Amino acid sequence: MPNRDMFEPHRRVLHTLNALGRKLVSNSDTKDMTRKIIAAGIALLPLSVCCLWRRDAARSPNTLRLEMVWGADRRRPFPGCLSLAGSISGRALETCRCQVAVDLARGPASAEKAMVSQRGLVSLLCAPVLSEGHAPDGVLQCFTGVSHVFSDLEIQVAEALALQAGMVWHMAGMRGEAARLKEELQTRKRVDRAKEVLMDQRDLTAEEAYRWIQKRSMDTRRSMRAVAETIIMSETTGHYTSIPHALDLLNKPPRK
């Protein structure tokens, strides 16, 4: 039977990580969860600054974008982006392993060394942010104000926090994809109903009705769903005498 005393030194770490895990399941606010993860890093590790960076693969795959920072001097804010070339963060992403620099000032040249040269930061623990089934998306940077040799437990805590950040991003992406698919399904339903109206009132085939909606969408610079809903409205309200008259609404500017 395990000795309970062996868990006592790590009780605060376990409690904090457990609380974060519970909030991760119930909290859909990506920014709020990111803030909680960064705050946990400051609370659990002997840090002066903790920041989260994310790779923008679509725009600049060799650059990290600053997502959030905690503890930085407002008079010397961190830059908004960080080059991966010759950086410690780049090595963390390439190897998918934590990278440590005990003394940035005395170490080899790096993007992080140049970034913190006037900010009074000394040691760095850099943990890659991984998401399931994907390449590393970013890094969690943990800075100390004095020279510090990170223990195995501290490295594991940083890895756990980085993993939770990856889960936050992954779940946000899944929610966005679900919303997109829901919107596509609703659009398809409205377009199908509008096709039925056109087929009934204009004696068109399904393909002709679809092309009619598509052309009207391009001519009026409105979405196919907006065109479809106007067609459906012309039938359900009976306010307009014909579909073309109903579609004249599309020439009006959208409501603000």
Side-chain angles (χ1 to χ4, degrees), residues 125 149-159:
L125 168 58
V149 178
F150 290 96
S151 67
D152 290 341
L153 176 61
E154 289 170 340
I155 292 175
Q156 290 172 5
V157 169
E159 288 177 335

Side-chain angles (χ1 to χ4, degrees), residues 2 42 103 138 154 170 179 189 215 256:
I42 292 290
D103 193 333
E154 289 170 340
H170 181 64
K189 287 181 178 179
K215 185 177 186 304
K256 295 183 179 179

Side-chain angles (χ1 to χ4, degrees), residues 23 26 76 88 90 102 119 132 139 159 166 184 215 256:
K23 291 174 182 176
S26 60
R76 294 188 177 92
I88 298 171
V102 177
R119 292 181 172 86
E132 185 177 356
V139 294
E159 288 177 335
E184 287 184 358
K215 185 177 186 304
K256 295 183 179 179

Side-chain angles (χ1 to χ4, degrees), residues 176-188:
E177 180 66 11
R180 184 187 66 80
L181 292 175
K182 182 178 180 180
E183 177 66 20
E184 287 184 358
L185 178 61
Q186 292 300 320
T187 297
R188 179 175 296 182

Side-chain angles (χ1 to χ4, degrees), residues 46-61:
L47 306 180
S48 297
V49 174
C50 186
C51 49
L52 186 64
W53 301 80
R54 189 170 190 179
R55 176 156 43 189
D56 191 349
R59 296 182 180 179
S60 182

Side-chain angles (χ1 to χ4, degrees), residues 17-30 32-33 36 164 167-168 171-172 175:
L17 293 179
N18 183 53
L20 277 176
R22 290 176 180 273
K23 291 174 182 176
L24 180 62
V25 174
S26 60
N27 191 345
S28 61
D29 188 334
T30 301
D32 183 55
M33 277 306 305
K36 285 180 168 60
Q164 292 199 342
M167 289 300 298
V168 169
M171 292 177 68
R175 286 192 295 270

